[in-house]
Amino acid sequence: MTTAAPRILFVGAVEEGRRCLDALVASGERFCGIVTLKESLAAATSGAVPFDDVAAAQRIPILKVGDLNAQANVARVEALAPDLILVIGWTRLLGPRILRLPPLGCVGFHASLLPRYRGRAPVNWALINGEAATGNTMFFLDEGVDTGDIIAQRRIAIALEDTCATLYRKVSDAATGMLAEYLPLLKTGRARRWPQDHSMATVMPRRRPEDGVIDWGRSSGELHNWVRALTHPYPGAFTWFGGTRLFVWEARDAGGEAMGPPGLVMTREGSDLLVAAAAGRLAIRSAQWEGRTEGPAAAMTELIGRRLDGARGEG
């Protein structure tokens, strides 16, 4: 007699999760449901993508939630009777009732080499901190924040030209690779696991859009990291001029000597505007006045000789 394949409940909301789900569907996995964010929350979530099309095409029940741990939603998950829950691209904790539900456990991914960079926005923080490498960790979920037993890890090199978008793509590639390798073991309850060394943990705080303000008192290398960590699909790094926010979407560390106080727009150089940092110069390539369209920074010649501000100043 053939044993039926385990029923998987998929929980996700962003591109990494969607790519993993597509790979699982293509490999013929058996799903009992998909959980994602309701539309109003998805609209306010950086990188959120729809799951309706795959749910409809595969005839998989879809549950759109604000709080998955609300009693009514827990009851709906219980009714789906999953054998295994996969949580990929989801920033909210699962409550104890859901964690205890699937006999094969709840498995998630975190975009770091746990126990380092637990918590929110690990890719963004790794870029901000100028790390040369990060990773992705496949692990069993528990009631803590990224504290469960590890199943597998992949190290990911960070190139100087990487942004949050390109690095998340590498993280997603690592997740799909680990799923292909370890899902067969998970489905039979034979996946290895080892506890994290909690003494080595670092926990990163939540980031908000208003935290993206540029501090021109930092070096040009630090400012380059800041911009690439917060660019699309995130809300962006920004500065102020004349009481209006100016978003910086693409920049590079131009090095050299800053000829003026931090924040001074020194000159135009090719496709860039050169801005003085505390040490070195930041070359801004793409920028956007709040409420307007993104475009080449070199076209903003009215800024040359003026000073950008890290606060709501008049420039």
Side-chain angles (χ1 to χ4, degrees), residues 9 25 35 39 50 110 151 172 190:
L9 176 68
V25 167
V35 174
E39 284 84 354
H110 187 72
I151 300 166
S172 179
R190 296 184 294 113

Side-chain angles (χ1 to χ4, degrees), residues 27-287:
S27 66
E29 298 299 337
R30 184 176 178 227
F31 293 93
C32 64
I34 296 171
V35 174
T36 191
L37 292 174
K38 62 183 182 180
E39 284 84 354
S40 59
L41 286 177
T45 301
S46 298
V49 297
F51 288 76
D52 304 74
D53 56 335
V54 67
Q58 301 298 320
R59 298 183 180 180
I60 303 171
I62 187 167
L63 174 59
K64 298 181 180 182
V65 304
D67 178 8
L68 180 55
N69 299 312
Q71 184 172 346
N73 290 329
V74 172
R76 295 174 72 180
V77 171
E78 289 174 338
L80 293 171
D83 298 305
L84 173 68
I85 297 179
L86 294 178
V87 183
I88 309 175
W90 190 258
T91 61
R92 295 153 175 82
L93 295 179
L94 271 57
R97 283 180 61 187
I98 292 179
L99 289 170
R100 291 194 297 264
L101 181 62
L104 296 175
C106 298
V107 173
F109 288 84
H110 187 72
S112 76
L113 294 174
L114 289 174
R116 298 193 68 218
Y117 284 90
R118 288 177 180 170
R120 299 294 191 97
V123 162
N124 310 81
W125 282 117
L127 288 168
I128 288 170
N129 291 337
E131 298 282 7
T134 184
N136 200 355
T137 301
M138 185 180 194
F139 67 111
F140 285 102
L141 302 179
D142 60 18
E143 294 185 41
V145 178
D146 305 319
T147 55
D149 290 351
I150 293 171
I151 300 166
Q153 292 185 315
R154 295 287 184 272
R155 186 181 184 275
I156 299 169
I158 300 177
L160 189 62
E161 64 271 16
D162 270 325
T163 68
C164 52
T166 62
L167 191 51
Y168 265 116
R169 176 65 59 155
K170 294 180 181 180
V171 165
S172 179
D173 290 342
T176 55
M178 284 188 281
L179 271 175
E181 183 173 353
Y182 291 97
L183 187 58
L185 296 173
L186 285 167
K187 293 193 297 182
T188 58
R190 296 184 294 113
R192 64 174 184 169
R193 60 194 297 168
W194 70 90
Q196 297 185 40
D197 181 353
H198 302 300
S199 69
M200 299 296 292
T202 56
V203 181
M204 311 313 292
R206 177 181 181 180
R207 293 199 56 81
R208 303 167 298 170
E210 56 266 33
D211 295 331
V213 63
I214 296 170
D215 178 3
W216 294 105
R218 294 183 178 275
S219 71
S220 54
E222 290 173 311
L223 294 179
H224 168 245
N225 290 337
W226 188 259
V227 171
R228 67 185 180 134
L230 305 179
T231 191
H232 304 300
Y234 288 87
F238 64 91
T239 189
W240 292 94
F241 180 80
T244 302
R245 279 199 294 189
L246 177 66
F247 290 91
V248 178
W249 295 111
E250 183 182 356
R252 63 180 175 85
D253 177 7
E257 184 179 354
M259 304 298 291
L264 179 69
V265 182
M266 298 163 48
T267 187
R268 172 179 172 173
E269 183 178 88
S271 301
D272 305 328
L273 282 181
L274 292 184
V275 184
R281 303 168 301 164
L282 184 72
I284 301 177
R285 175 148 301 176
S286 179

